[in-house]
Amino acid sequence: MMPPIVLTLLQGLFLLLLYVFVARAVRAVLRDVSTASAPRPAPSPAPAATTKRSKAPRAPQRREAAPSRERTEPKRTPPGELVVHLANDRPKVMPLDGTDITFGRSPEATVQLSDPYTSDQHARVHHDGSRWVITDLGSTNGTFVNQVKVTAPTPIAAGDQLGIGRTVVEVRK
């Protein structure tokens, strides 16, 4: 059996470690909350990725769109196809041939996703007469282009990465 002084010291050490853990957890939560509510600078357009992709692409990080982004972008390559990276299946290639492509869990969607973070009618890629655009259809978790949240019909180009729930869609020429 241990002497009472050793048990008291171990008990004090355990309480100290518990207080340090709680303090760090509270600090991390406060930092995340203050970072999420602070205004962010406008993101710069991301260049097309040239590195090899892993088999399952990572989910995009979420950021709010800058309202004037569309006017400051240089001329980009028009898209020719979408590559949908499905969770437990091979990637699905969807040619952009003039018909609308809808994404969602609904059976009526062109690309039916089994992603729990996807709404029944989540997003639509369509041609607006001069360019291809993606429109969020009022989804719960949002639609993203290059990790920037779509708040209005947003033009897409080859090299862009779309985030629909946890599903990643590559835009190719």
Side-chain angles (χ1 to χ4, degrees):
M1 187 143 162
M2 298 176 105
I5 188 78
V6 173
L7 290 174
T8 305
L9 287 174
L10 286 173
Q11 188 178 29
L13 181 63
F14 176 74
L15 283 174
L16 178 67
L17 288 173
L18 183 64
Y19 285 127
V20 168
F21 171 76
V22 169
R24 289 183 59 95
V26 167
R27 190 175 93 194
V29 168
L30 291 175
R31 184 179 55 231
D32 286 349
V33 167
S34 67
T35 303
S37 63
R40 295 186 179 121
S44 60
T50 58
T51 60
K52 276 190 163 182
R53 292 196 159 273
S54 64
K55 211 170 197 179
R58 293 173 26 181
Q61 295 175 351
R62 313 303 196 198
R63 288 185 277 170
E64 294 294 322
S68 63
R69 177 184 162 133
E70 184 179 335
R71 283 179 254 149
T72 61
E73 281 188 9
K75 184 80 173 162
R76 302 187 316 160
T77 307
E81 64 185 16
L82 302 176
V83 180
V84 182
H85 294 276
L86 302 169
N88 297 323
D89 205 355
R90 301 176 87 187
K92 185 176 185 178
V93 178
M94 302 293 298
L96 295 173
D97 56 6
T99 59
D100 291 1
I101 298 175
T102 56
F103 295 88
R105 289 186 298 171
S106 169
E108 290 84 30
T110 311
V111 179
Q112 190 173 358
L113 303 171
S114 59
D115 181 351
Y117 294 91
T118 304
S119 299
D120 288 341
Q121 295 294 322
H122 196 99
R124 177 172 68 119
V125 173
H126 58 98
H127 200 266
D128 72 352
S130 62
R131 60 192 175 176
W132 285 96
V133 296
I134 186 165
T135 304
D136 184 82
L137 301 175
S139 66
T140 303
N141 294 318
T143 302
F144 296 83
V145 175
N146 298 327
Q147 303 173 357
V148 178
K149 189 170 187 176
V150 172
T151 56
T154 304
I156 60 173
D160 286 344
Q161 190 176 55
L162 311 179
I164 299 171
R166 292 241 170 126
T167 303
V168 177
V169 180
E170 288 180 79
V171 182
R172 294 188 181 166
K173 49 181 172 172

PDB file of all heavy atoms in Angstrom, residues 60-95:
ATOM      1  N   PRO A  60     -13.573  19.795 -49.303  1.00  0.00           N
ATOM      2  CA  PRO A  60     -13.081  21.167 -49.324  1.00  0.00           C
ATOM      3  C   PRO A  60     -13.343  21.887 -48.008  1.00  0.00           C
ATOM      4  O   PRO A  60     -14.297  21.620 -47.309  1.00  0.00           O
ATOM      5  CB  PRO A  60     -13.889  21.815 -50.456  1.00  0.00           C
ATOM      6  CG  PRO A  60     -15.077  20.954 -50.627  1.00  0.00           C
ATOM      7  CD  PRO A  60     -14.700  19.580 -50.174  1.00  0.00           C
ATOM      8  N   GLN A  61     -12.441  22.825 -47.692  1.00  0.00           N
ATOM      9  CA  GLN A  61     -12.679  23.684 -46.539  1.00  0.00           C
ATOM     10  C   GLN A  61     -13.683  24.735 -46.953  1.00  0.00           C
ATOM     11  O   GLN A  61     -13.815  25.080 -48.114  1.00  0.00           O
ATOM     12  CB  GLN A  61     -11.381  24.361 -46.111  1.00  0.00           C
ATOM     13  CG  GLN A  61     -10.345  23.382 -45.605  1.00  0.00           C
ATOM     14  CD  GLN A  61      -9.042  24.080 -45.305  1.00  0.00           C
ATOM     15  OE1 GLN A  61      -8.861  25.249 -45.618  1.00  0.00           O
ATOM     16  NE2 GLN A  61      -8.134  23.362 -44.694  1.00  0.00           N
ATOM     17  N   ARG A  62     -14.379  25.287 -45.961  1.00  0.00           N
ATOM     18  CA  ARG A  62     -15.480  26.198 -46.255  1.00  0.00           C
ATOM     19  C   ARG A  62     -15.100  27.645 -45.994  1.00  0.00           C
ATOM     20  O   ARG A  62     -14.623  27.985 -44.942  1.00  0.00           O
ATOM     21  CB  ARG A  62     -16.694  25.857 -45.398  1.00  0.00           C
ATOM     22  CG  ARG A  62     -17.055  24.380 -45.340  1.00  0.00           C
ATOM     23  CD  ARG A  62     -17.305  23.815 -46.695  1.00  0.00           C
ATOM     24  NE  ARG A  62     -18.000  22.533 -46.588  1.00  0.00           N
ATOM     25  CZ  ARG A  62     -18.062  21.667 -47.527  1.00  0.00           C
ATOM     26  NH1 ARG A  62     -17.498  21.882 -48.671  1.00  0.00           N
ATOM     27  NH2 ARG A  62     -18.715  20.546 -47.366  1.00  0.00           N
ATOM     28  N   ARG A  63     -15.359  28.525 -46.999  1.00  0.00           N
ATOM     29  CA  ARG A  63     -15.165  29.960 -46.862  1.00  0.00           C
ATOM     30  C   ARG A  63     -16.289  30.666 -47.581  1.00  0.00           C
ATOM     31  O   ARG A  63     -16.830  30.151 -48.543  1.00  0.00           O
ATOM     32  CB  ARG A  63     -13.835  30.396 -47.494  1.00  0.00           C
ATOM     33  CG  ARG A  63     -12.634  29.959 -46.680  1.00  0.00           C
ATOM     34  CD  ARG A  63     -11.397  30.525 -47.283  1.00  0.00           C
ATOM     35  NE  ARG A  63     -10.995  29.650 -48.368  1.00  0.00           N
ATOM     36  CZ  ARG A  63     -10.066  29.933 -49.249  1.00  0.00           C
ATOM     37  NH1 ARG A  63      -9.443  31.067 -49.223  1.00  0.00           N
ATOM     38  NH2 ARG A  63      -9.762  29.092 -50.199  1.00  0.00           N
ATOM     39  N   GLU A  64     -16.602  31.877 -47.147  1.00  0.00           N
ATOM     40  CA  GLU A  64     -17.650  32.669 -47.783  1.00  0.00           C
ATOM     41  C   GLU A  64     -17.087  33.346 -49.039  1.00  0.00           C
ATOM     42  O   GLU A  64     -15.915  33.717 -49.082  1.00  0.00           O
ATOM     43  CB  GLU A  64     -18.181  33.750 -46.831  1.00  0.00           C
ATOM     44  CG  GLU A  64     -18.913  33.179 -45.633  1.00  0.00           C
ATOM     45  CD  GLU A  64     -20.191  32.460 -46.013  1.00  0.00           C
ATOM     46  OE1 GLU A  64     -20.900  32.917 -46.928  1.00  0.00           O
ATOM     47  OE2 GLU A  64     -20.475  31.414 -45.401  1.00  0.00           O
ATOM     48  N   ALA A  65     -17.914  33.557 -50.051  1.00  0.00           N
ATOM     49  CA  ALA A  65     -17.486  34.159 -51.316  1.00  0.00           C
ATOM     50  C   ALA A  65     -17.396  35.670 -51.196  1.00  0.00           C
ATOM     51  O   ALA A  65     -18.157  36.303 -50.485  1.00  0.00           O
ATOM     52  CB  ALA A  65     -18.476  33.799 -52.418  1.00  0.00           C
ATOM     53  N   ALA A  66     -16.447  36.240 -51.923  1.00  0.00           N
ATOM     54  CA  ALA A  66     -16.347  37.687 -52.027  1.00  0.00           C
ATOM     55  C   ALA A  66     -17.274  38.132 -53.146  1.00  0.00           C
ATOM     56  O   ALA A  66     -17.297  37.531 -54.216  1.00  0.00           O
ATOM     57  CB  ALA A  66     -14.910  38.091 -52.342  1.00  0.00           C
ATOM     58  N   PRO A  67     -18.087  39.189 -52.956  1.00  0.00           N
ATOM     59  CA  PRO A  67     -19.068  39.566 -53.961  1.00  0.00           C
ATOM     60  C   PRO A  67     -18.463  39.996 -55.293  1.00  0.00           C
ATOM     61  O   PRO A  67     -19.057  39.809 -56.328  1.00  0.00           O
ATOM     62  CB  PRO A  67     -19.837  40.719 -53.316  1.00  0.00           C
ATOM     63  CG  PRO A  67     -19.121  41.071 -52.077  1.00  0.00           C
ATOM     64  CD  PRO A  67     -18.137  39.996 -51.768  1.00  0.00           C
ATOM     65  N   SER A  68     -17.269  40.560 -55.319  1.00  0.00           N
ATOM     66  CA  SER A  68     -16.710  41.083 -56.571  1.00  0.00           C
ATOM     67  C   SER A  68     -15.748  40.109 -57.237  1.00  0.00           C
ATOM     68  O   SER A  68     -15.052  40.480 -58.160  1.00  0.00           O
ATOM     69  CB  SER A  68     -15.983  42.404 -56.296  1.00  0.00           C
ATOM     70  OG  SER A  68     -14.888  42.158 -55.428  1.00  0.00           O
ATOM     71  N   ARG A  69     -15.705  38.866 -56.802  1.00  0.00           N
ATOM     72  CA  ARG A  69     -14.744  37.896 -57.321  1.00  0.00           C
ATOM     73  C   ARG A  69     -14.864  37.696 -58.834  1.00  0.00           C
ATOM     74  O   ARG A  69     -13.885  37.588 -59.540  1.00  0.00           O
ATOM     75  CB  ARG A  69     -14.943  36.573 -56.604  1.00  0.00           C
ATOM     76  CG  ARG A  69     -14.039  35.502 -57.136  1.00  0.00           C
ATOM     77  CD  ARG A  69     -14.325  34.188 -56.487  1.00  0.00           C
ATOM     78  NE  ARG A  69     -13.728  33.170 -57.336  1.00  0.00           N
ATOM     79  CZ  ARG A  69     -13.004  32.200 -56.922  1.00  0.00           C
ATOM     80  NH1 ARG A  69     -12.786  32.064 -55.668  1.00  0.00           N
ATOM     81  NH2 ARG A  69     -12.498  31.340 -57.759  1.00  0.00           N
ATOM     82  N   GLU A  70     -16.066  37.636 -59.343  1.00  0.00           N
ATOM     83  CA  GLU A  70     -16.289  37.331 -60.754  1.00  0.00           C
ATOM     84  C   GLU A  70     -15.618  38.354 -61.665  1.00  0.00           C
ATOM     85  O   GLU A  70     -15.079  38.024 -62.701  1.00  0.00           O
ATOM     86  CB  GLU A  70     -17.783  37.275 -61.022  1.00  0.00           C
ATOM     87  CG  GLU A  70     -18.111  36.859 -62.433  1.00  0.00           C
ATOM     88  CD  GLU A  70     -19.601  36.797 -62.658  1.00  0.00           C
ATOM     89  OE1 GLU A  70     -20.357  36.613 -61.702  1.00  0.00           O
ATOM     90  OE2 GLU A  70     -19.993  36.955 -63.824  1.00  0.00           O
ATOM     91  N   ARG A  71     -15.623  39.630 -61.306  1.00  0.00           N
ATOM     92  CA  ARG A  71     -15.073  40.681 -62.165  1.00  0.00           C
ATOM     93  C   ARG A  71     -13.558  40.706 -62.183  1.00  0.00           C
ATOM     94  O   ARG A  71     -12.961  41.173 -63.120  1.00  0.00           O
ATOM     95  CB  ARG A  71     -15.599  42.039 -61.706  1.00  0.00           C
ATOM     96  CG  ARG A  71     -17.019  42.256 -62.166  1.00  0.00           C
ATOM     97  CD  ARG A  71     -17.509  43.574 -61.681  1.00  0.00           C
ATOM     98  NE  ARG A  71     -18.444  43.245 -60.600  1.00  0.00           N
ATOM     99  CZ  ARG A  71     -18.676  43.975 -59.556  1.00  0.00           C
ATOM    100  NH1 ARG A  71     -18.067  45.112 -59.401  1.00  0.00           N
ATOM    101  NH2 ARG A  71     -19.525  43.610 -58.641  1.00  0.00           N
ATOM    102  N   THR A  72     -12.887  40.191 -61.128  1.00  0.00           N
ATOM    103  CA  THR A  72     -11.439  40.284 -61.044  1.00  0.00           C
ATOM    104  C   THR A  72     -10.716  39.069 -61.608  1.00  0.00           C
ATOM    105  O   THR A  72      -9.506  39.074 -61.679  1.00  0.00           O
ATOM    106  CB  THR A  72     -11.009  40.478 -59.581  1.00  0.00           C
ATOM    107  OG1 THR A  72     -11.446  39.345 -58.832  1.00  0.00           O
ATOM    108  CG2 THR A  72     -11.581  41.759 -59.014  1.00  0.00           C
ATOM    109  N   GLU A  73     -11.435  38.009 -61.989  1.00  0.00           N
ATOM    110  CA  GLU A  73     -10.793  36.806 -62.477  1.00  0.00           C
ATOM    111  C   GLU A  73     -10.342  36.955 -63.924  1.00  0.00           C
ATOM    112  O   GLU A  73     -11.041  37.530 -64.743  1.00  0.00           O
ATOM    113  CB  GLU A  73     -11.755  35.620 -62.395  1.00  0.00           C
ATOM    114  CG  GLU A  73     -11.867  35.055 -61.019  1.00  0.00           C
ATOM    115  CD  GLU A  73     -12.663  33.774 -61.009  1.00  0.00           C
ATOM    116  OE1 GLU A  73     -12.972  33.242 -62.087  1.00  0.00           O
ATOM    117  OE2 GLU A  73     -12.970  33.312 -59.916  1.00  0.00           O
ATOM    118  N   PRO A  74      -9.166  36.408 -64.262  1.00  0.00           N
ATOM    119  CA  PRO A  74      -8.734  36.426 -65.659  1.00  0.00           C
ATOM    120  C   PRO A  74      -9.534  35.414 -66.470  1.00  0.00           C
ATOM    121  O   PRO A  74     -10.248  34.586 -65.927  1.00  0.00           O
ATOM    122  CB  PRO A  74      -7.267  35.997 -65.566  1.00  0.00           C
ATOM    123  CG  PRO A  74      -7.174  35.207 -64.298  1.00  0.00           C
ATOM    124  CD  PRO A  74      -8.204  35.802 -63.373  1.00  0.00           C
ATOM    125  N   LYS A  75      -9.396  35.476 -67.787  1.00  0.00           N
ATOM    126  CA  LYS A  75     -10.076  34.542 -68.692  1.00  0.00           C
ATOM    127  C   LYS A  75      -9.637  33.126 -68.368  1.00  0.00           C
ATOM    128  O   LYS A  75      -8.465  32.843 -68.218  1.00  0.00           O
ATOM    129  CB  LYS A  75      -9.698  34.899 -70.138  1.00  0.00           C
ATOM    130  CG  LYS A  75     -10.381  34.086 -71.169  1.00  0.00           C
ATOM    131  CD  LYS A  75     -11.763  34.593 -71.396  1.00  0.00           C
ATOM    132  CE  LYS A  75     -12.349  33.836 -72.593  1.00  0.00           C
ATOM    133  NZ  LYS A  75     -13.754  33.934 -72.644  1.00  0.00           N
ATOM    134  N   ARG A  76     -10.617  32.207 -68.223  1.00  0.00           N
ATOM    135  CA  ARG A  76     -10.318  30.830 -67.855  1.00  0.00           C
ATOM    136  C   ARG A  76     -10.824  29.871 -68.920  1.00  0.00           C
ATOM    137  O   ARG A  76     -11.707  30.208 -69.699  1.00  0.00           O
ATOM    138  CB  ARG A  76     -10.942  30.513 -66.500  1.00  0.00           C
ATOM    139  CG  ARG A  76     -10.425  31.467 -65.430  1.00  0.00           C
ATOM    140  CD  ARG A  76     -10.845  31.135 -64.032  1.00  0.00           C
ATOM    141  NE  ARG A  76     -12.228  30.765 -63.893  1.00  0.00           N
ATOM    142  CZ  ARG A  76     -12.695  30.091 -62.851  1.00  0.00           C
ATOM    143  NH1 ARG A  76     -11.892  29.728 -61.900  1.00  0.00           N
ATOM    144  NH2 ARG A  76     -13.968  29.786 -62.762  1.00  0.00           N
ATOM    145  N   THR A  77     -10.278  28.645 -68.933  1.00  0.00           N
ATOM    146  CA  THR A  77     -10.625  27.636 -69.921  1.00  0.00           C
ATOM    147  C   THR A  77     -12.030  27.108 -69.663  1.00  0.00           C
ATOM    148  O   THR A  77     -12.353  26.713 -68.552  1.00  0.00           O
ATOM    149  CB  THR A  77      -9.626  26.462 -69.840  1.00  0.00           C
ATOM    150  OG1 THR A  77      -8.307  26.972 -69.930  1.00  0.00           O
ATOM    151  CG2 THR A  77      -9.884  25.460 -70.940  1.00  0.00           C
ATOM    152  N   PRO A  78     -12.886  27.108 -70.698  1.00  0.00           N
ATOM    153  CA  PRO A  78     -14.250  26.577 -70.502  1.00  0.00           C
ATOM    154  C   PRO A  78     -14.206  25.081 -70.202  1.00  0.00           C
ATOM    155  O   PRO A  78     -13.356  24.363 -70.706  1.00  0.00           O
ATOM    156  CB  PRO A  78     -14.949  26.861 -71.826  1.00  0.00           C
ATOM    157  CG  PRO A  78     -13.906  27.278 -72.776  1.00  0.00           C
ATOM    158  CD  PRO A  78     -12.668  27.613 -72.031  1.00  0.00           C
ATOM    159  N   PRO A  79     -15.153  24.606 -69.377  1.00  0.00           N
ATOM    160  CA  PRO A  79     -15.146  23.187 -69.008  1.00  0.00           C
ATOM    161  C   PRO A  79     -15.730  22.306 -70.103  1.00  0.00           C
ATOM    162  O   PRO A  79     -16.532  22.752 -70.917  1.00  0.00           O
ATOM    163  CB  PRO A  79     -16.036  23.155 -67.763  1.00  0.00           C
ATOM    164  CG  PRO A  79     -16.962  24.304 -67.943  1.00  0.00           C
ATOM    165  CD  PRO A  79     -16.178  25.361 -68.677  1.00  0.00           C
ATOM    166  N   GLY A  80     -15.327  21.033 -70.102  1.00  0.00           N
ATOM    167  CA  GLY A  80     -15.866  20.067 -71.059  1.00  0.00           C
ATOM    168  C   GLY A  80     -16.528  18.884 -70.387  1.00  0.00           C
ATOM    169  O   GLY A  80     -17.385  18.232 -70.976  1.00  0.00           O
ATOM    170  N   GLU A  81     -16.113  18.593 -69.117  1.00  0.00           N
ATOM    171  CA  GLU A  81     -16.705  17.479 -68.401  1.00  0.00           C
ATOM    172  C   GLU A  81     -16.531  17.663 -66.900  1.00  0.00           C
ATOM    173  O   GLU A  81     -15.686  18.436 -66.448  1.00  0.00           O
ATOM    174  CB  GLU A  81     -16.083  16.147 -68.836  1.00  0.00           C
ATOM    175  CG  GLU A  81     -14.608  16.020 -68.500  1.00  0.00           C
ATOM    176  CD  GLU A  81     -13.978  14.741 -69.037  1.00  0.00           C
ATOM    177  OE1 GLU A  81     -14.578  14.086 -69.913  1.00  0.00           O
ATOM    178  OE2 GLU A  81     -12.877  14.406 -68.568  1.00  0.00           O
ATOM    179  N   LEU A  82     -17.365  16.950 -66.155  1.00  0.00           N
ATOM    180  CA  LEU A  82     -17.284  16.915 -64.704  1.00  0.00           C
ATOM    181  C   LEU A  82     -16.910  15.505 -64.291  1.00  0.00           C
ATOM    182  O   LEU A  82     -17.421  14.533 -64.853  1.00  0.00           O
ATOM    183  CB  LEU A  82     -18.626  17.290 -64.068  1.00  0.00           C
ATOM    184  CG  LEU A  82     -19.222  18.646 -64.422  1.00  0.00           C
ATOM    185  CD1 LEU A  82     -20.586  18.798 -63.766  1.00  0.00           C
ATOM    186  CD2 LEU A  82     -18.293  19.764 -63.981  1.00  0.00           C
ATOM    187  N   VAL A  83     -16.017  15.383 -63.306  1.00  0.00           N
ATOM    188  CA  VAL A  83     -15.647  14.081 -62.765  1.00  0.00           C
ATOM    189  C   VAL A  83     -16.125  14.057 -61.317  1.00  0.00           C
ATOM    190  O   VAL A  83     -15.623  14.788 -60.473  1.00  0.00           O
ATOM    191  CB  VAL A  83     -14.130  13.825 -62.841  1.00  0.00           C
ATOM    192  CG1 VAL A  83     -13.796  12.456 -62.278  1.00  0.00           C
ATOM    193  CG2 VAL A  83     -13.641  13.955 -64.270  1.00  0.00           C
ATOM    194  N   VAL A  84     -17.130  13.217 -61.049  1.00  0.00           N
ATOM    195  CA  VAL A  84     -17.743  13.121 -59.726  1.00  0.00           C
ATOM    196  C   VAL A  84     -17.051  11.996 -58.967  1.00  0.00           C
ATOM    197  O   VAL A  84     -17.079  10.840 -59.386  1.00  0.00           O
ATOM    198  CB  VAL A  84     -19.258  12.836 -59.829  1.00  0.00           C
ATOM    199  CG1 VAL A  84     -19.892  12.798 -58.453  1.00  0.00           C
ATOM    200  CG2 VAL A  84     -19.934  13.855 -60.726  1.00  0.00           C
ATOM    201  N   HIS A  85     -16.403  12.341 -57.852  1.00  0.00           N
ATOM    202  CA  HIS A  85     -15.725  11.347 -57.023  1.00  0.00           C
ATOM    203  C   HIS A  85     -16.707  10.846 -55.974  1.00  0.00           C
ATOM    204  O   HIS A  85     -16.969  11.515 -54.982  1.00  0.00           O
ATOM    205  CB  HIS A  85     -14.483  11.951 -56.361  1.00  0.00           C
ATOM    206  CG  HIS A  85     -13.426  12.310 -57.350  1.00  0.00           C
ATOM    207  ND1 HIS A  85     -12.516  11.393 -57.814  1.00  0.00           N
ATOM    208  CD2 HIS A  85     -13.155  13.469 -57.984  1.00  0.00           C
ATOM    209  CE1 HIS A  85     -11.710  11.979 -58.687  1.00  0.00           C
ATOM    210  NE2 HIS A  85     -12.082  13.240 -58.812  1.00  0.00           N
ATOM    211  N   LEU A  86     -17.259   9.664 -56.227  1.00  0.00           N
ATOM    212  CA  LEU A  86     -18.237   9.059 -55.335  1.00  0.00           C
ATOM    213  C   LEU A  86     -17.516   8.350 -54.188  1.00  0.00           C
ATOM    214  O   LEU A  86     -16.412   7.828 -54.365  1.00  0.00           O
ATOM    215  CB  LEU A  86     -19.123   8.085 -56.105  1.00  0.00           C
ATOM    216  CG  LEU A  86     -19.868   8.717 -57.287  1.00  0.00           C
ATOM    217  CD1 LEU A  86     -20.505   7.649 -58.150  1.00  0.00           C
ATOM    218  CD2 LEU A  86     -20.920   9.688 -56.773  1.00  0.00           C
ATOM    219  N   ALA A  87     -18.147   8.308 -53.016  1.00  0.00           N
ATOM    220  CA  ALA A  87     -17.506   7.788 -51.807  1.00  0.00           C
ATOM    221  C   ALA A  87     -17.033   6.344 -51.952  1.00  0.00           C
ATOM    222  O   ALA A  87     -15.881   6.041 -51.705  1.00  0.00           O
ATOM    223  CB  ALA A  87     -18.457   7.922 -50.630  1.00  0.00           C
ATOM    224  N   ASN A  88     -17.891   5.441 -52.344  1.00  0.00           N
ATOM    225  CA  ASN A  88     -17.536   4.027 -52.386  1.00  0.00           C
ATOM    226  C   ASN A  88     -17.604   3.446 -53.787  1.00  0.00           C
ATOM    227  O   ASN A  88     -17.924   2.268 -53.961  1.00  0.00           O
ATOM    228  CB  ASN A  88     -18.470   3.229 -51.458  1.00  0.00           C
ATOM    229  CG  ASN A  88     -18.320   3.658 -50.024  1.00  0.00           C
ATOM    230  OD1 ASN A  88     -17.221   3.955 -49.582  1.00  0.00           O
ATOM    231  ND2 ASN A  88     -19.418   3.709 -49.304  1.00  0.00           N
ATOM    232  N   ASP A  89     -17.315   4.257 -54.785  1.00  0.00           N
ATOM    233  CA  ASP A  89     -17.431   3.791 -56.158  1.00  0.00           C
ATOM    234  C   ASP A  89     -16.354   4.476 -56.989  1.00  0.00           C
ATOM    235  O   ASP A  89     -15.657   5.376 -56.529  1.00  0.00           O
ATOM    236  CB  ASP A  89     -18.831   4.132 -56.690  1.00  0.00           C
ATOM    237  CG  ASP A  89     -19.274   3.209 -57.818  1.00  0.00           C
ATOM    238  OD1 ASP A  89     -18.460   2.367 -58.252  1.00  0.00           O
ATOM    239  OD2 ASP A  89     -20.422   3.339 -58.259  1.00  0.00           O
ATOM    240  N   ARG A  90     -16.270   4.071 -58.229  1.00  0.00           N
ATOM    241  CA  ARG A  90     -15.326   4.688 -59.153  1.00  0.00           C
ATOM    242  C   ARG A  90     -15.813   6.082 -59.520  1.00  0.00           C
ATOM    243  O   ARG A  90     -17.017   6.343 -59.501  1.00  0.00           O
ATOM    244  CB  ARG A  90     -15.216   3.837 -60.416  1.00  0.00           C
ATOM    245  CG  ARG A  90     -14.749   2.420 -60.116  1.00  0.00           C
ATOM    246  CD  ARG A  90     -14.739   1.600 -61.349  1.00  0.00           C
ATOM    247  NE  ARG A  90     -13.451   1.804 -62.001  1.00  0.00           N
ATOM    248  CZ  ARG A  90     -13.138   1.330 -63.194  1.00  0.00           C
ATOM    249  NH1 ARG A  90     -14.024   0.642 -63.875  1.00  0.00           N
ATOM    250  NH2 ARG A  90     -11.957   1.529 -63.708  1.00  0.00           N
ATOM    251  N   PRO A  91     -14.901   6.985 -59.892  1.00  0.00           N
ATOM    252  CA  PRO A  91     -15.337   8.323 -60.331  1.00  0.00           C
ATOM    253  C   PRO A  91     -16.251   8.216 -61.542  1.00  0.00           C
ATOM    254  O   PRO A  91     -16.093   7.342 -62.392  1.00  0.00           O
ATOM    255  CB  PRO A  91     -14.024   9.015 -60.695  1.00  0.00           C
ATOM    256  CG  PRO A  91     -12.982   8.292 -59.938  1.00  0.00           C
ATOM    257  CD  PRO A  91     -13.449   6.864 -59.846  1.00  0.00           C
ATOM    258  N   LYS A  92     -17.224   9.113 -61.620  1.00  0.00           N
ATOM    259  CA  LYS A  92     -18.202   9.119 -62.707  1.00  0.00           C
ATOM    260  C   LYS A  92     -17.949  10.369 -63.558  1.00  0.00           C
ATOM    261  O   LYS A  92     -17.900  11.475 -63.036  1.00  0.00           O
ATOM    262  CB  LYS A  92     -19.609   9.149 -62.106  1.00  0.00           C
ATOM    263  CG  LYS A  92     -20.719   9.050 -63.091  1.00  0.00           C
ATOM    264  CD  LYS A  92     -22.049   8.983 -62.359  1.00  0.00           C
ATOM    265  CE  LYS A  92     -23.175   8.765 -63.337  1.00  0.00           C
ATOM    266  NZ  LYS A  92     -24.468   8.651 -62.661  1.00  0.00           N
ATOM    267  N   VAL A  93     -17.784  10.182 -64.865  1.00  0.00           N
ATOM    268  CA  VAL A  93     -17.522  11.300 -65.776  1.00  0.00           C
ATOM    269  C   VAL A  93     -18.836  11.739 -66.415  1.00  0.00           C
ATOM    270  O   VAL A  93     -19.571  10.921 -66.978  1.00  0.00           O
ATOM    271  CB  VAL A  93     -16.497  10.899 -66.861  1.00  0.00           C
ATOM    272  CG1 VAL A  93     -16.273  12.044 -67.837  1.00  0.00           C
ATOM    273  CG2 VAL A  93     -15.185  10.476 -66.214  1.00  0.00           C
ATOM    274  N   MET A  94     -19.133  13.028 -66.307  1.00  0.00           N
ATOM    275  CA  MET A  94     -20.358  13.600 -66.872  1.00  0.00           C
ATOM    276  C   MET A  94     -19.950  14.645 -67.920  1.00  0.00           C
ATOM    277  O   MET A  94     -19.410  15.690 -67.565  1.00  0.00           O
ATOM    278  CB  MET A  94     -21.185  14.288 -65.784  1.00  0.00           C
ATOM    279  CG  MET A  94     -21.583  13.396 -64.628  1.00  0.00           C
ATOM    280  SD  MET A  94     -22.731  12.111 -65.094  1.00  0.00           S
ATOM    281  CE  MET A  94     -24.122  13.049 -65.626  1.00  0.00           C
ATOM    282  N   PRO A  95     -20.198  14.379 -69.222  1.00  0.00           N
ATOM    283  CA  PRO A  95     -19.845  15.375 -70.238  1.00  0.00           C
ATOM    284  C   PRO A  95     -20.778  16.586 -70.151  1.00  0.00           C
ATOM    285  O   PRO A  95     -21.975  16.449 -69.871  1.00  0.00           O
ATOM    286  CB  PRO A  95     -20.031  14.631 -71.556  1.00  0.00           C
ATOM    287  CG  PRO A  95     -20.965  13.520 -71.234  1.00  0.00           C
ATOM    288  CD  PRO A  95     -20.773  13.171 -69.785  1.00  0.00           C
TER     289      PRO A  95
END
